[in-house]
Amino acid sequence: MTRVWRRILVVVLVVAVAVVAAASFSLGALAAEEPVKLKVWIYPLWLIHSGPDKGMTNEDWMLEKIEEFQKKYPNVDVELELLSWEGGGQKLTTAVASGTMPDIMYSVPVRVYAPKGVLEPIDEYLTESERGQYYPNILKELVIDGKLYALPFCASSLVLSINAELFEERGVPLPKEPDRSWTMDEFLDAAKKLTFDRDGDGRTDVYALGLNGKPAYWAMSFAFAFGGRLFNEDGSRFTFNTPEGLEGLQFMHDLVFRYKVVAPGVPGYNIADVWDLFLQRRIAMVPSSSILTNYVAGMRKPLKLVFVQFPHVKGKDPVTMLTVAGWSVFKQKNPYKRKVAMEFIKYLTNPENSKAAALMKYGPANRLSGNPFENDPNLSVVALYAKYAEVYIKANKPEMEEVVNNIWSAVYSRAMTPKQAIEYAEQRAKAILGYR
Amino acid sequence: MYKDRWGYYFILPNVLLVVVFTLIPIIWSCLLSFQEYMPMGSKWIGLGNYVNVCQDLIFWRSMKNTIYYTVGVVPLGLALCMLLAVLIFPLRKGWQIFFKASLYLPGVTSGAVLALIWVWLFNPAFGLLNYLLSLVGLGPVMWLADARTAMPSIMLMSIVSGLGSTVILYLAALGGIPSTLYEAADIDGADAWVKFFRITLPLLKPTTLYALVMNTIYSFQVFTQIYMMTRGEPFYATSTVVYRIYETAFERLQFGLASAQAMILFVVIVAMAYLQFKYLSTDVEY
């Protein structure tokens, strides 16, 4: 071999070694990506009451998903913490105040936390096709100032839950199939018959309807059915001070004080109290989400639960409120950690994993997950009814929540007439939202 | 002082606890009251939060409710405690222990549990109180659901559940009154009323002052009952200052504003305690 060929061989070998070394180095860098620890907070969402998975909770489901995610990202360590519904909100507030927030959390009140700048906007991490997997009204619920602050996991609409046994006992027909809709007049007739003294001791044993004090949105569909709405499209003005708004509020006032078909003591109840009375068979109808199915399934002797639509005014569409919950990412300094956190919530909400929302009896927010309730006549009504679902409050100021709740609170406690309550709310809305 | 240094070492843990968990939070809260709090960085706004508190009608309504609650609960509670103590004191030791334990029991029960029980007692449709009233042809009373009866209902619950510790204080104080004073009064022919008003009541004054000041402070800080039973409803009828502070801080994340509200409450409580000490304190020796 000549000297020239020997030199060429040396150069080729050196280049080959350099290429192999560079390739190994970059592969090594990918495999040994920096370790990341994600702190994830969740609430108790479901407990399976029967079947082969009896006793399984969403915590078990999460642990499974974490393990799957870690196969793709072995450098990610996920620390899962289960909160309680009673203390979770307070824990989050304290954590935000002290700067010890989780990295990821389910069901963060985005309307409160996004304006404080503690949540990461998700938009830039979503492709157009990923965004297209959600209905616009579902995303709208989680958008503040044009930015998306949670990736939707489940969605549902509120319904009127009925104890069909009490309807049968009083000979009251249920709303007609297939959509179980009924008019205000039909509802009122039924309500009068369903408020009764069973043992003849002069005291009412069963009331037709249960309503709660705060928050008011559970039963707002009754008032909205008359056409009034709280805010304009962009949430900049209070628009409930109209004849339709007043008519709706007056109707609710009359249900409580004129027709006396509502269990007395409305301002003193929260929604859990009202559901308790329903489960004790003391109330025939309550506004609820489809999650009430799980409560009934947990009863020793389950009552006959039927979901129906909120009554509508003749000639108008029924109205219901949309409920959406999703996953949020808190502010991250480290861009890689932020990216991983986004990847994790995208993984939890992909079409396959979103199907788990059905375990809470909620619909998956991801439209590619399909309808898991096709064979359940009760939950199918919820899905059917979802087309009427509206976003609840459109004003982005958290203070408006209190103003809205107070309209109903003032009426239920007779502190104000419906007209006075609406006018007072408008006055405060002008001060908070800053218009004349 | 150097000679006594061991004494200071022994009190050091408690002093540290007070500094870390009381003094520093108070100073921090005071500083926060001049800032607009944002989790990612606050800014100084001078007296802005105090101006907002002064203009917040709901805060002042809550202050009025708190004063109403305090005026209702403290004097009535003290009178009831004194009466119970005077009735229990002459009993035999066994009965005394029984009544002391019975009255103190709610004091060792969680406030949240008590509140939940009372919520069901007060239930207008299915509660025990309205059932009892119906037996004598009265009611139904809306209790917590009516703006007029909501606060008195909470006051009733607070009085009934909060008797224990003050009764025990009074019983201890009654035990400290020399029996010779009563014997002398007997010789002078004084009846029970005279003995109570001329001996017992004046000699219980230091205990009454202590109980008055402490119960006033506790009453100004009423929160658990409101949080668990009404959340300030109906229509602010039971909203109290501490509950308003909680709402401002923990529901709306306005920690600066909430701190300003807390500082105002602090000033009011200090002023109340000062007035009580100034006008009620006397040196009683026996």
Side-chain angles (χ1 to χ4, degrees):
Chain A
M1 196 182 278
T2 64
R3 186 183 283 184
V4 174
W5 278 109
R6 213 178 293 155
R7 279 185 184 165
I8 290 170
L9 185 64
V10 167
V11 169
V12 168
L13 280 173
V14 167
V15 169
V17 167
V19 168
V20 170
S24 315
F25 178 77
S26 66
L27 276 174
L30 266 182
E33 200 63 81
E34 59 179 299
V36 167
K37 190 166 188 171
L38 289 178
K39 195 159 73 166
V40 180
W41 286 3
I42 55 167
Y43 287 105
L45 300 176
W46 65 76
L47 165 68
I48 299 172
H49 290 284
S50 56
D53 293 332
K54 188 177 173 181
M56 292 275 279
T57 65
N58 60 308
E59 198 182 0
D60 301 315
W61 181 83
M62 274 299 288
L63 291 171
E64 199 181 300
K65 295 298 137 190
I66 289 167
E67 210 178 306
E68 287 168 16
F69 185 73
Q70 281 170 330
K71 280 181 190 155
K72 198 177 168 193
Y73 290 91
N75 57 321
V76 177
D77 179 20
V78 182
E79 183 190 296
L80 185 67
E81 189 172 342
L82 185 69
L83 307 179
S84 71
W85 282 108
E86 296 77 32
Q90 205 164 324
K91 180 170 172 133
L92 175 62
T93 316
T94 314
V96 168
S98 58
T100 54
M101 306 89 87
D103 300 304
I104 293 172
M105 187 174 168
Y106 178 77
S107 194
V108 176
V110 292
R111 228 170 278 277
V112 176
Y113 289 96
K116 296 286 175 191
V118 293
L119 296 177
E120 290 283 1
I122 295 168
D123 307 77
E124 67 175 281
Y125 295 90
L126 282 184
T127 62
E128 269 311 303
S129 75
E130 282 168 340
R131 207 181 169 90
Q133 290 173 12
Y134 304 97
Y135 290 104
N137 63 339
I138 287 180
L139 289 178
K140 199 174 172 185
E141 179 80 8
L142 304 169
V143 167
I144 305 291
D145 288 335
K147 289 177 186 164
L148 182 67
Y149 285 99
L151 212 44
F153 179 66
C154 66
S156 185
S157 48
L158 299 186
V159 286
L160 200 56
S161 289
I162 276 180
N163 178 350
E165 292 160 14
L166 291 171
F167 273 65
E168 282 161 23
E169 182 182 342
R170 302 296 290 167
V172 179
L174 291 171
K176 288 178 287 291
E177 298 286 353
D179 60 355
R180 298 180 190 170
S181 68
W182 48 349
T183 63
M184 284 289 172
D185 294 335
E186 287 166 335
F187 164 78
L188 200 54
D189 277 349
K192 286 175 184 168
K193 289 176 191 158
L194 287 160
T195 304
F196 64 100
D197 171 12
R198 188 182 274 133
D199 53 16
D201 67 352
R203 285 165 57 86
T204 303
D205 295 304
V206 175
Y207 285 88
L209 184 64
L211 297 177
N212 66 303
K214 274 202 287 195
Y217 87 97
W218 287 99
M220 220 169 259
S221 304
F222 283 107
F224 282 10
F226 289 82
R229 292 295 181 275
L230 288 166
F231 300 100
N232 62 353
E233 260 312 298
D234 65 1
S236 60
R237 275 169 190 269
F238 179 78
T239 56
F240 204 50
N241 193 3
T242 57
E244 293 82 13
L246 181 60
E247 199 181 352
L249 191 60
Q250 184 67 50
F251 178 75
M252 296 189 75
H253 168 275
D254 291 348
L255 286 177
V256 179
F257 298 111
R258 185 173 161 201
Y259 305 116
K260 297 184 186 335
V261 293
V262 178
V266 178
Y269 295 132
N270 59 41
I271 197 66
D273 298 330
V274 176
W275 289 359
D276 266 349
L277 291 172
F278 178 78
L279 298 177
Q280 291 167 24
R281 297 174 165 85
R282 289 171 161 178
I283 290 176
M285 295 181 271
V286 284
S288 77
S289 65
S290 41
I291 204 167
L292 199 60
T293 311
N294 284 341
Y295 288 65
V296 171
M299 293 170 74
R300 207 186 311 161
K301 265 190 176 176
L303 54 77
K304 202 168 160 191
L305 178 70
V306 172
F307 292 142
V308 303
Q309 295 189 9
F310 283 97
H312 62 270
V313 173
K314 235 178 197 167
K316 289 184 174 167
D317 277 340
V319 179
T320 185
M321 299 291 113
L322 183 69
T323 58
V324 179
W327 295 92
S328 298
V329 173
F330 282 86
K331 277 280 176 211
Q332 302 293 328
K333 284 182 189 149
N334 179 341
Y336 177 69
K337 190 174 173 182
R338 186 188 310 132
K339 186 176 168 289
V340 170
M342 293 292 176
E343 284 300 318
F344 187 49
I345 64 168
K346 278 167 70 174
Y347 180 70
L348 292 172
T349 54
N350 70 24
E352 189 54 36
N353 288 333
S354 287
K355 286 178 184 169
L359 296 170
M360 305 185 250
K361 308 301 178 208
Y362 279 144
N366 194 314
R367 66 212 285 189
L368 300 184
S369 304
N371 177 9
F373 304 128
E374 264 169 12
N375 300 321
D376 185 323
N378 223 7
L379 291 167
S380 291
V381 169
V382 184
L384 198 68
Y385 192 26
K387 67 180 172 191
Y388 300 114
E390 291 184 8
V391 172
Y392 160 49
I393 288 183
K394 292 176 190 135
N396 289 341
K397 300 265 187 180
E399 297 95 309
M400 284 310 300
E401 183 93 8
E402 184 179 348
V403 175
V404 168
N405 284 328
N406 282 333
I407 299 173
W408 274 265
S409 171
V411 170
Y412 290 149
S413 63
R414 286 186 137 159
M416 289 182 184
T417 64
K419 193 170 166 29
Q420 286 169 333
I422 290 180
E423 283 170 356
Y424 179 68
E426 187 176 42
Q427 204 184 320
R428 289 197 63 199
K430 282 178 179 173
I432 293 169
L433 298 174
Y435 70 95
R436 291 187 170 208
Chain B
M1 193 167 159
Y2 180 77
K3 212 172 69 183
D4 300 327
R5 67 189 185 283
W6 285 106
Y8 290 101
Y9 291 152
F10 280 115
I11 63 166
L12 189 62
N14 271 348
V15 171
L16 279 177
L17 283 176
V18 171
V19 168
V20 173
F21 292 107
T22 308
L23 203 60
I24 292 175
I26 288 174
I27 294 166
W28 182 245
S29 177
C30 185
L31 292 174
L32 211 54
S33 72
F34 298 104
Q35 300 172 46
E36 186 188 343
Y37 173 82
M38 291 292 276
M40 310 310 282
S42 306
K43 65 173 182 204
W44 285 89
I45 54 165
L47 293 172
N49 285 325
Y50 288 92
V51 172
N52 283 341
V53 176
C54 290
Q55 290 170 346
D56 181 2
L57 295 178
I58 295 156
F59 176 79
W60 294 109
R61 171 134 192 221
S62 304
M63 182 65 85
K64 203 172 122 192
N65 287 341
T66 309
I67 294 169
Y68 172 44
Y69 173 87
T70 304
V71 168
V73 167
V74 177
L76 201 64
L78 282 184
L80 202 58
C81 288
M82 194 184 287
L83 177 71
L84 284 168
V86 169
L87 291 175
I88 294 169
F89 188 67
L91 299 177
R92 275 188 303 185
K93 206 172 177 186
W95 282 112
Q96 273 197 30
I97 291 169
F98 170 75
F99 282 114
K100 278 188 209 172
S102 307
L103 290 167
Y104 202 76
L105 201 58
V108 293
T109 310
S110 144
V113 172
L114 278 179
L116 286 176
I117 292 168
W118 278 89
V119 161
W120 283 105
L121 291 177
F122 283 136
N123 186 299
F126 312 106
L128 181 68
L129 294 182
N130 271 356
Y131 172 73
L132 294 175
L133 286 177
S134 75
L135 295 179
V136 289
L138 294 174
V141 178
M142 288 296 115
W143 302 111
L144 301 174
D146 188 313
R148 290 161 303 176
T149 53
M151 189 53 104
S153 304
I154 289 183
M155 285 152 69
L156 172 73
M157 179 241 173
S158 299
I159 291 172
V160 173
S161 319
L163 296 169
S165 54
T166 311
V167 168
I168 286 171
L169 273 178
Y170 273 129
L171 283 169
L174 284 171
I177 298 175
S179 56
T180 49
L181 295 174
Y182 292 104
E183 286 160 13
D186 283 336
I187 293 165
D188 291 342
D191 63 15
W193 288 108
V194 172
K195 282 193 275 185
F196 177 75
F197 283 106
R198 295 294 173 90
I199 300 172
T200 312
L201 201 56
L203 295 185
L204 285 180
K205 205 170 172 186
T207 310
T208 305
L209 177 66
Y210 170 78
L212 181 69
V213 172
M214 295 313 288
N215 288 354
T216 303
I217 292 170
Y218 291 143
S219 295
F220 262 91
Q221 295 173 348
V222 59
F223 174 75
T224 310
Q225 297 93 312
I226 308 297
Y227 178 77
M228 296 298 298
M229 295 168 78
T230 62
R231 299 233 160 193
E233 294 289 297
F235 198 58
Y236 303 118
T238 61
S239 178
T240 58
V241 177
V242 175
Y243 184 70
R244 189 71 189 156
I245 293 171
Y246 166 81
E247 273 188 322
T248 309
F250 289 93
E251 287 184 6
R252 293 200 290 279
L253 296 187
Q254 294 170 320
F255 287 96
L257 188 62
S259 296
Q261 292 170 340
M263 284 298 125
I264 290 174
L265 177 65
F266 175 71
V267 170
V268 170
I269 290 178
V270 168
M272 289 285 293
Y274 172 76
L275 290 176
Q276 286 169 340
F277 272 112
K278 187 174 177 188
Y279 292 107
L280 295 174
S281 67
T282 48
D283 291 330
V284 178
E285 284 181 23
Y286 50 88

